[in-house]
Amino acid sequence: MTSVISNDIDSGTRVGIDLGLSALADVPRADEPQKAKDFTSSQEVRWCPGCGDYVILATVRSMLPQLGLKRENIVFVSGIGCSSRFPYYLETYGVHSIHGRAPTIATGLAVTRPDLSVWVVTGDGDSLSIGGNHLIHALRRNVNMRILMFNNRIYGLTKGQYSPTSEVGKVTKSTPMGSIDAPFNTMSLAIGAEATFVGRALDSDRAGLTEVLLAAAQHRGSAFVEILQDCPIFNDGSFDALRKDGADSRLIHVRHGKAIVFGSDGELCVIRKGFGLAVAHTRDVDPADIVIHDAHTDDPEYAYALSRLSDQGLNYTVTGIVRQVARPTYDDAAREQVVRAKETTAGDLQQVLHGNNTWTIS
């Protein structure tokens, strides 16, 4: 098993960080079993009636007790947007930060406090527009945090402008003649940024969302989770095609080690086609040609090809854990450097000031 050397900054003790370790390995455990109500704050929840954020909040509150962590060692960091109210409604530590910069603040927490479970809550506008640069670098660095991106394909808080995930032709207050922007494929973006964990779920699929969240919570590194959710005021029904009649033939839910077969009767499947993947009728293919999902392959090309099956037309949408691989994390490496610096750097301040790296200007 591959490992790197890191340390506990507070005690200065040298420890080995195994790439197979859970992200929760250094987080203190709760003394007693917990319930969802233990993670419910006294703040009044204030979203529009019917907002998908309500069911996401309920799912997270039900998931957190399963982690068995002390509440004071869990922190949620948000940016700006409807989703960014999230920290107020959880009985954990929280930071309501700056527009698009939540991953930056979360990076500081992850590096300096290995005893925390760090979560970022953001929206499609907050993370992919003003915060796009911060998002891709957090994923590239593989910082030990979980990034939950609520995607309703609209700007809700600022009253209905199009977002980086809005479909072409979308009529909004800022695009009265229809959007001419090509939207992001969010999974492709995350995989292209070298994310080590990429997952997706529908807000209304509590079982599927819980499955992805629990795996993300334990993943050591950056875990990107996209949650497709409804905005009943400014983009109502944006994901109805994935909830109503015929949804079974559109939703491709993947599980590691399982054949990718979907549809109400398993009538559809995923096969390899050229350098990518394609959807086919199960009856028309050899069972041996059906793709077995491998979320743990080091080759990102497979995960990228899987992400391309999803399109904004919602003909097909991939959900589940698409990618989950191990790679050294930025924060573990940073703490290792602190230890090595303490071991090799002179401890006498005057000696440092008058050493070989100073000079006199006359």
Side-chain angles (χ1 to χ4, degrees):
M1 185 71 74
T2 307
S3 64
V4 294
I5 298 299
S6 185
N7 69 289
D8 180 327
I9 289 178
D10 293 333
S11 67
T13 305
R14 203 78 179 259
V15 297
I17 298 298
D18 194 317
L19 291 183
L21 278 182
S22 164
L24 309 180
D26 301 321
V27 184
R29 311 293 295 181
D31 297 327
E32 299 178 352
Q34 301 163 322
K35 298 180 179 179
K37 66 178 183 180
D38 296 321
F39 290 91
T40 302
S41 76
S42 61
Q43 297 293 308
E44 178 189 0
V45 181
R46 300 183 64 183
W47 285 309
C48 300
C51 178
D53 289 356
Y54 283 100
V55 70
I56 300 173
L57 176 62
T59 304
V60 170
R61 283 175 174 170
S62 297
M63 178 274 301
L64 288 174
Q66 298 181 53
L67 302 181
L69 306 177
K70 288 189 174 181
R71 289 177 298 170
E72 58 267 34
N73 291 89
I74 302 173
V75 58
F76 281 78
V77 184
S78 66
I80 299 296
C82 297
S83 64
S84 297
R85 297 177 180 271
F86 220 77
Y88 295 102
Y89 307 141
L90 290 171
E91 193 64 15
T92 64
Y93 275 104
V95 179
H96 192 174
S97 71
I98 308 169
H99 203 187
R101 275 71 174 183
T104 306
I105 293 171
T107 295
L109 283 169
V111 170
T112 58
R113 291 289 302 273
D115 62 324
L116 296 180
S117 177
V118 180
W119 298 72
V120 169
V121 176
T122 182
D124 48 300
D126 184 57
S127 63
L128 294 176
S129 187
I130 190 171
N133 195 41
H134 299 274
L135 173 68
I136 61 173
H137 289 298
L139 297 177
R140 173 181 66 86
R141 289 171 175 145
N142 200 33
V143 183
N144 197 24
M145 67 174 77
R146 281 116 289 287
I147 301 173
L148 310 185
M149 191 194 80
F150 298 10
N151 183 7
N152 56 19
R153 306 203 296 177
I154 202 77
Y155 277 99
L157 186 67
T158 50
K159 307 301 185 285
Q161 299 82 6
Y162 83 111
S163 86
T165 58
S166 297
E167 63 271 26
V168 173
K170 183 72 176 179
V171 176
T172 71
K173 292 178 179 178
S174 56
T175 54
M177 298 182 67
S179 171
I180 56 175
D181 276 5
F184 276 122
N185 182 315
T186 51
M187 271 192 175
S188 298
L189 177 74
I191 294 165
E194 301 293 341
T196 53
F197 183 106
V198 179
R200 179 191 281 145
L202 272 170
D203 57 357
S204 55
D205 179 11
R206 291 193 63 170
L209 179 55
T210 300
E211 173 189 334
V212 174
L213 291 176
L214 285 172
Q218 299 175 64
H219 177 75
R220 198 171 191 90
S222 293
F224 176 82
V225 178
E226 179 185 20
I227 306 173
L228 307 180
Q229 52 105 204
D230 194 37
C231 174
I233 305 301
F234 298 108
N235 203 21
D236 192 26
S238 54
F239 295 107
D240 276 358
L242 304 179
R243 309 179 199 275
K244 297 184 176 180
D245 291 344
D248 287 341
S249 62
R250 297 185 179 95
L251 278 171
I252 306 174
H253 188 71
V254 296
R255 287 187 173 88
H256 178 70
K258 302 293 185 181
I260 307 180
V261 177
F262 63 104
S264 57
D265 296 314
E267 69 273 15
L268 297 169
C269 64
V270 173
I271 61 171
R272 295 191 179 276
K273 184 178 181 180
F275 293 107
L277 302 174
V279 173
H281 288 277
T282 307
R283 66 175 181 270
D284 296 333
V285 303
D286 186 326
D289 292 333
I290 299 175
V291 172
I292 305 298
H293 180 49
D294 185 1
H296 302 160
T297 177
D298 288 334
D299 183 2
E301 292 181 5
Y302 164 72
Y304 187 83
L306 197 56
S307 76
R308 303 311 294 175
L309 293 176
S310 301
D311 61 46
Q312 292 296 322
L314 299 180
N315 290 331
Y316 302 111
T317 297
V318 176
T319 61
I321 301 168
V322 171
R323 179 170 166 81
Q324 185 178 14
V325 297
R327 183 159 55 86
T329 68
Y330 179 90
D331 40 300
D332 283 338
R335 290 190 291 271
E336 179 199 357
Q337 286 191 344
V338 170
V339 169
R340 288 194 284 111
K342 288 180 178 179
E343 292 175 347
T344 59
T345 303
D348 188 307
L349 179 60
Q350 291 301 316
Q351 182 179 346
V352 172
L353 293 176
H354 294 89
N356 296 328
N357 292 324
T358 61
W359 60 93
T360 303
I361 299 176
S362 58

